[in-house]
Amino acid sequence: MIKGKKLVVIMPAYNAESTLEKVYKELNFNIVDDVILTDDFSSDQTLKLASELGIKHLRRHDQNLGYGANQKTCYHLAKEIGADIIIMVHPDYQYTPKLVEAMASIIANNIYPVVLGSRILGKGAIKGGMPIYKYLANRILTLIQNILMNQKLSEYHTGLRAFSIEALNDICYENNSDDFIFDNEMLAQILYKGHQIGEVTCPTSYFPEASSINLSRSIKYGFGVLRVSFQYFLGKLGVYVPKIFRAPTA
């Protein structure tokens, strides 16, 4: 626990057998209470290795449902076991687990209810091997998003994220996509509800085993980001409130 709050790390996994152990062993179990791993129908031994490592909360999908759907399963399980702070750490080691303590501390001390590990603050993205086209797309999309959503975040596209249970309960993430745009929709929901988001500098690593979407899916993601940003803009104007921004039903 940290400051009396239960800290749960979630790992939405897909073919993470080669990197999972390294990620797991870098977690600080002096503060991490539980780890949840959900396996989105991997073709390798991710789930078997997770069990051998001692991860107690495991769930495997019977078919590949998508990155967003995998996260939804993670958050449901985190709520079931009474998490106060939930931090998503990708098991492919693209983001360092060593930032969990710093991010959890920000939430536990009531500074921000949501914290992102930003690859753009500092020089972590390029130094870590982010492809130039992805870096430029990240910068352009973030600029447009900040304008449309009246924010000043350094990026919206990182996979290292921490949430207070209060912020998570305040949004209806079930209404979001089951694909990669889920991440962006979730942040838009958080901001739409008026929650502030903090950021910490995060180094990143791009290597063959690290998960990454290809160019065609990146383009699809980019258009999805623009759609979400315009939906946010229209919602705040009161022109139209899309389903993702509507209040959770009891």
Side-chain angles (χ1 to χ4, degrees):
M1 294 188 119
I2 180 166
K3 295 283 185 176
K5 297 185 177 182
K6 183 173 182 177
L7 173 57
V8 175
V9 168
I10 63 169
M11 295 184 182
Y14 180 69
N15 290 340
E17 179 186 3
S18 63
T19 52
L20 173 59
E21 183 172 3
K22 184 176 183 180
V23 173
Y24 183 78
K25 289 187 174 179
E26 285 192 8
L27 292 173
N28 180 1
F29 286 98
N30 290 321
I31 60 168
V32 175
D33 296 284
D34 279 303
V35 175
I36 292 170
L37 183 139
T38 57
D39 180 55
D40 197 27
F41 202 61
S42 295
S43 59
D44 65 5
Q45 299 297 311
T46 295
L47 199 67
K48 182 175 182 291
L49 176 59
S51 180
E52 291 172 352
L53 289 171
I55 300 177
K56 297 178 182 178
H57 303 283
L58 301 173
R59 185 70 56 86
R60 175 177 167 84
H61 292 162
D62 293 331
Q63 59 182 322
N64 185 263
L65 298 178
Y67 174 64
N70 211 13
Q71 280 194 64
K72 291 175 186 178
T73 302
C74 282
Y75 295 126
H76 289 331
L77 291 175
K79 288 181 178 182
E80 285 179 10
I81 64 173
D84 296 306
I85 299 172
I86 302 99
I87 301 186
M88 180 169 71
V89 177
H90 286 188
D92 64 357
Y93 205 74
Q94 189 175 134
Y95 305 93
T96 175
K98 295 178 180 178
L99 283 175
V100 165
E101 185 172 359
M103 297 171 75
S105 179
I106 291 172
I107 294 177
N109 284 287
N110 299 314
I111 300 172
Y112 290 104
V114 178
V115 182
L116 304 179
S118 172
R119 301 164 295 179
I120 302 303
L121 290 173
K123 298 181 179 180
I126 297 299
K127 185 177 180 181
M130 178 185 281
I132 295 298
Y133 81 89
K134 287 193 174 184
Y135 178 81
L136 292 175
N138 185 309
R139 298 287 70 231
I140 293 169
L141 287 173
T142 295
L143 174 62
I144 295 171
Q145 287 177 275
N146 277 334
I147 292 171
L148 290 173
M149 299 167 69
N150 193 29
Q151 302 295 326
K152 290 187 177 180
L153 293 179
S154 67
E155 75 157 321
Y156 292 76
H157 316 289
T158 175
L160 183 60
R161 298 155 172 248
F163 303 93
S164 69
I165 191 63
E166 292 81 11
L168 199 62
N169 284 335
D170 204 22
I171 64 172
C172 193
Y173 56 80
E174 271 294 344
N175 289 339
N176 296 351
S177 167
D178 288 338
D179 208 344
F180 286 97
I181 197 64
F182 174 92
D183 273 349
N184 215 255
E185 290 175 329
M186 197 173 182
L187 288 187
Q189 289 172 319
I190 293 286
L191 292 168
Y192 197 88
K193 286 290 186 176
H195 298 291
Q196 290 189 308
I197 297 176
E199 296 181 281
V200 298
T201 304
C202 173
T204 186
S205 300
Y206 284 80
F207 51 94
E209 292 80 10
S211 62
S212 184
I213 58 177
N214 59 31
L215 179 59
S216 62
R217 295 195 75 183
S218 295
I219 293 172
K220 179 182 177 183
Y221 171 81
F223 280 110
V225 166
L226 295 176
R227 172 181 54 80
V228 172
S229 301
F230 276 106
Q231 285 179 330
Y232 181 100
F233 180 73
L234 294 174
K236 285 297 183 180
L237 284 180
V239 175
Y240 168 69
V241 180
K243 185 178 179 181
I244 64 169
F245 298 127
R246 295 172 192 168
T249 56

